[in-house]
Amino acid sequence: MAHRWTNTYTASDVTPKGVWLNRRAVLAGMTGLAAAGGLAGQAAAQQAPLEPNTLEEITSYNNFYEFGTGKDDPAKNSGDMVTDPWEVTIDGMVDNPGTFSLQDLISDMTMEERIYRFRCVEAWSMVVPWNGFELADLLEKAGVQSGATHVAFETAVMPEVMPGVRNRVIDFPYVEGLRLDEAMHPLTLMATGIYGEPLANQNGAPIRLVVPWKYGFKSIKSIVRITLTDEQPKATWNDINAREYGFYSNVNPEVDHPRWSQASERMIGGGLFASRQDTLMFNGYPEVASLYEGMDLSVDF
Amino acid sequence: MIDTINAAARKVPAWVLYILLILPIPYLFYSAATGGMGVEPINALEREIGELSLKLIIFGLLITPLRKYLKLNLLKFRRAIGVMAFVYVAVHLGIWVVLDMSLRFDQMWSDIWKRPYITIGMVAFVAMIPLAVTSNNLSVRKLGGAAWRKLHKLVYPIAVLGAVHFIMVQKVWEVEPMVYLAVVVALIGTRYVPNIKARLSTSV
């Protein structure tokens, strides 16, 4: 199974482990490929090549309110979260409910690397080379019962190692949800790693959701429960402020957050003089548009 | 103790404060450009400078109550503090225009009108301009002391707007910006508390 979605990158675009800490080496590698012609040139013709962010960038600028509201809080405060052993409960409208160890859960999944754009609702973005498997495969294994319409997700709550939970800055556990067809879309990934390494705690170890056409807060981290339901589940930010954060929260340059424009974004890693770039509809993944046919996306934002 | 500080303060010329207060700006730009402020230096720098300007406004508001209640006289430094608060706000705005928004004037223009926190920040900046322009002896003489003082009471709403702007930038209700607002309101309050006391004692 899996490999149902392919991006315009090939295995040769994946940065070798020895150089991914060094941006210049990444650039040099890409230039070399382009000079060699062939695949890289073809990819570039379809889409401007994406340069993945460095692991340092991806692991030092995060939102993970369980560990604090500052961008550097997750990296600073998440070190004590133990992610092995880890269990995930799958329940609700499935044929095979249960609580599974992470190993059992992912043992027969097809792992792949997906280089995705990641767009935060705060108007910044990154490019992340995820390792993971399609959520659809996991749902198939769980046996989704007819009548189920949505998937709900829940993050671990560990007050003793999560200062943000102790401060109750928002309601915990953090929860999110997708419509079943969104969850089954081949783009929707369950990630367990970045750059071929296990996820860092601040990135949502040991297993998280990645929905690249939605704002980052939909991609819930450190998942302990997946529930199939027949109603739209509660989603944390939507619950905090429905006017500012819709249930769908698809990346959409034309629907502004009430307090800031979503028309443009800044790529992390460009330094002090990085300029803004235009935000793309569905974060540049137009293949999901058919999921929302007939919907007014300025109403169901 | 207070007398010692007052005596020391008398010896320090006000221009020293301009020098001291300008130094963090090049330092912070250097730090942001060389990785000292993390992987998203633009936002970090913008917030840092903004927060410093609010701190300066609060220091400016502190001068009068310090004199009134502690007999600590730092009045000669107030102009420098106020002018530098304006400089910090201007730099904060400049960072937003040039670095944060990359000179996307269309987007900025609509943001100023559509986003309340940006509207509020902009109003506060514009309201500071007449205060900065009249922060010199000639203006005090031309306007006359009473009119000048009345004009400069604009700093009260400016301080409140600045603190509200800070609260509204956050995604959730955070403690730190609330503390700033509470301090601003308390400091403005000290201007009115004694009046009430005086009125009460005369009516008795």
Side-chain angles (χ1 to χ4, degrees), chain B residues 77-98:
Chain B
F77 299 117
R78 192 167 63 180
R79 178 180 290 170
I81 293 170
V83 169
M84 290 311 295
F86 176 75
V87 169
Y88 274 73
V89 171
V91 172
H92 174 69
L93 176 64
I95 292 168
W96 181 66
V97 170
V98 179

Short mmCIF file of all heavy atoms in Angstrom, two decimals, chain B residues 77-98:
data_model
loop_
_atom_site.label_atom_id
_atom_site.label_comp_id
_atom_site.label_asym_id
_atom_site.label_seq_id
_atom_site.Cartn_x
_atom_site.Cartn_y
_atom_site.Cartn_z
N PHE B 77 15.70 63.85 33.36
CA PHE B 77 15.90 62.76 32.40
C PHE B 77 14.64 62.42 31.62
O PHE B 77 14.66 61.61 30.71
CB PHE B 77 16.37 61.49 33.13
CG PHE B 77 17.68 61.65 33.84
CD1 PHE B 77 17.77 61.53 35.22
CD2 PHE B 77 18.84 61.94 33.12
CE1 PHE B 77 18.98 61.69 35.86
CE2 PHE B 77 20.06 62.10 33.76
CZ PHE B 77 20.13 61.98 35.15
N ARG B 78 13.51 63.04 31.99
CA ARG B 78 12.25 62.62 31.42
C ARG B 78 12.17 62.88 29.92
O ARG B 78 11.64 62.07 29.17
CB ARG B 78 11.06 63.27 32.14
CG ARG B 78 9.74 62.64 31.76
CD ARG B 78 8.63 63.03 32.67
NE ARG B 78 8.37 64.46 32.60
CZ ARG B 78 7.43 65.06 33.30
NH1 ARG B 78 6.66 64.36 34.13
NH2 ARG B 78 7.22 66.35 33.21
N ARG B 79 12.73 64.02 29.49
CA ARG B 79 12.67 64.32 28.06
C ARG B 79 13.44 63.25 27.27
O ARG B 79 12.95 62.78 26.24
CB ARG B 79 13.24 65.70 27.78
CG ARG B 79 13.25 66.04 26.30
CD ARG B 79 13.82 67.41 26.03
NE ARG B 79 12.91 68.46 26.51
CZ ARG B 79 13.26 69.74 26.57
NH1 ARG B 79 14.48 70.12 26.23
NH2 ARG B 79 12.39 70.63 26.99
N ALA B 80 14.62 62.92 27.77
CA ALA B 80 15.43 61.90 27.06
C ALA B 80 14.67 60.58 26.98
O ALA B 80 14.65 59.92 25.94
CB ALA B 80 16.76 61.70 27.78
N ILE B 81 14.03 60.22 28.09
CA ILE B 81 13.27 58.96 28.11
C ILE B 81 12.13 59.01 27.09
O ILE B 81 11.93 58.07 26.31
CB ILE B 81 12.74 58.66 29.53
CG1 ILE B 81 13.92 58.37 30.46
CG2 ILE B 81 11.76 57.49 29.52
CD1 ILE B 81 13.53 58.30 31.93
N GLY B 82 11.41 60.12 27.09
CA GLY B 82 10.27 60.25 26.18
C GLY B 82 10.70 60.25 24.72
O GLY B 82 10.11 59.55 23.89
N VAL B 83 11.74 61.01 24.42
CA VAL B 83 12.21 61.08 23.03
C VAL B 83 12.71 59.70 22.59
O VAL B 83 12.41 59.24 21.48
CB VAL B 83 13.34 62.15 22.88
CG1 VAL B 83 14.02 62.02 21.52
CG2 VAL B 83 12.76 63.54 23.06
N MET B 84 13.42 59.02 23.48
CA MET B 84 13.93 57.69 23.12
C MET B 84 12.79 56.67 23.00
O MET B 84 12.87 55.75 22.18
CB MET B 84 14.99 57.22 24.11
CG MET B 84 16.30 57.99 24.02
SD MET B 84 16.93 58.14 22.33
CE MET B 84 17.27 56.44 21.95
N ALA B 85 11.74 56.83 23.79
CA ALA B 85 10.58 55.95 23.63
C ALA B 85 10.02 56.11 22.22
O ALA B 85 9.67 55.13 21.55
CB ALA B 85 9.50 56.27 24.67
N PHE B 86 9.97 57.35 21.75
CA PHE B 86 9.49 57.60 20.39
C PHE B 86 10.42 56.97 19.36
O PHE B 86 9.96 56.36 18.40
CB PHE B 86 9.37 59.11 20.13
CG PHE B 86 8.97 59.43 18.71
CD1 PHE B 86 7.67 59.24 18.29
CD2 PHE B 86 9.91 59.90 17.80
CE1 PHE B 86 7.30 59.52 16.98
CE2 PHE B 86 9.56 60.17 16.49
CZ PHE B 86 8.24 59.98 16.08
N VAL B 87 11.74 57.10 19.59
CA VAL B 87 12.70 56.50 18.66
C VAL B 87 12.48 54.98 18.59
O VAL B 87 12.45 54.40 17.51
CB VAL B 87 14.15 56.83 19.09
CG1 VAL B 87 15.15 55.98 18.30
CG2 VAL B 87 14.44 58.31 18.90
N TYR B 88 12.27 54.35 19.74
CA TYR B 88 12.05 52.90 19.76
C TYR B 88 10.77 52.52 19.02
O TYR B 88 10.73 51.55 18.28
CB TYR B 88 12.02 52.35 21.19
CG TYR B 88 13.39 52.02 21.74
CD1 TYR B 88 14.27 53.03 22.10
CD2 TYR B 88 13.81 50.70 21.86
CE1 TYR B 88 15.54 52.74 22.58
CE2 TYR B 88 15.08 50.40 22.34
CZ TYR B 88 15.94 51.42 22.70
OH TYR B 88 17.19 51.13 23.17
N VAL B 89 9.72 53.30 19.23
CA VAL B 89 8.46 53.01 18.53
C VAL B 89 8.66 53.18 17.02
O VAL B 89 8.18 52.36 16.23
CB VAL B 89 7.31 53.93 19.04
CG1 VAL B 89 6.08 53.78 18.16
CG2 VAL B 89 6.96 53.57 20.47
N ALA B 90 9.42 54.21 16.63
CA ALA B 90 9.67 54.43 15.21
C ALA B 90 10.48 53.28 14.61
O ALA B 90 10.21 52.82 13.50
CB ALA B 90 10.39 55.77 15.00
N VAL B 91 11.46 52.79 15.35
CA VAL B 91 12.27 51.66 14.87
C VAL B 91 11.39 50.40 14.78
O VAL B 91 11.46 49.65 13.80
CB VAL B 91 13.49 51.42 15.79
CG1 VAL B 91 14.21 50.12 15.41
CG2 VAL B 91 14.46 52.60 15.71
N HIS B 92 10.55 50.20 15.79
CA HIS B 92 9.60 49.08 15.81
C HIS B 92 8.72 49.12 14.56
O HIS B 92 8.55 48.11 13.86
CB HIS B 92 8.76 49.21 17.09
CG HIS B 92 7.62 48.24 17.25
ND1 HIS B 92 7.79 46.90 17.46
CD2 HIS B 92 6.28 48.45 17.25
CE1 HIS B 92 6.60 46.31 17.58
NE2 HIS B 92 5.67 47.23 17.46
N LEU B 93 8.21 50.31 14.25
CA LEU B 93 7.37 50.47 13.07
C LEU B 93 8.18 50.23 11.80
O LEU B 93 7.71 49.58 10.86
CB LEU B 93 6.76 51.89 13.07
CG LEU B 93 5.92 52.29 11.86
CD1 LEU B 93 4.67 51.43 11.75
CD2 LEU B 93 5.53 53.76 11.93
N GLY B 94 9.41 50.74 11.80
CA GLY B 94 10.29 50.55 10.64
C GLY B 94 10.57 49.08 10.38
O GLY B 94 10.59 48.63 9.23
N ILE B 95 10.77 48.32 11.45
CA ILE B 95 11.02 46.88 11.30
C ILE B 95 9.79 46.21 10.69
O ILE B 95 9.89 45.37 9.80
CB ILE B 95 11.35 46.24 12.67
CG1 ILE B 95 12.69 46.75 13.18
CG2 ILE B 95 11.36 44.72 12.57
CD1 ILE B 95 12.96 46.42 14.63
N TRP B 96 8.60 46.64 11.16
CA TRP B 96 7.37 46.07 10.61
C TRP B 96 7.26 46.37 9.11
O TRP B 96 7.00 45.46 8.30
CB TRP B 96 6.16 46.66 11.36
CG TRP B 96 4.84 46.12 10.89
CD1 TRP B 96 4.39 44.84 11.00
CD2 TRP B 96 3.80 46.85 10.20
NE1 TRP B 96 3.14 44.72 10.44
CE2 TRP B 96 2.75 45.94 9.95
CE3 TRP B 96 3.66 48.18 9.80
CZ2 TRP B 96 1.57 46.32 9.30
CZ3 TRP B 96 2.49 48.56 9.16
CH2 TRP B 96 1.46 47.64 8.91
N VAL B 97 7.51 47.63 8.74
CA VAL B 97 7.33 48.04 7.35
C VAL B 97 8.35 47.37 6.43
O VAL B 97 8.01 46.81 5.40
CB VAL B 97 7.43 49.58 7.22
CG1 VAL B 97 7.49 50.00 5.75
CG2 VAL B 97 6.25 50.25 7.93
N VAL B 98 9.62 47.43 6.82
CA VAL B 98 10.69 47.00 5.91
C VAL B 98 10.98 45.50 6.03
O VAL B 98 10.98 44.78 5.03
CB VAL B 98 11.98 47.80 6.17
CG1 VAL B 98 13.10 47.33 5.23
CG2 VAL B 98 11.71 49.29 5.98
#
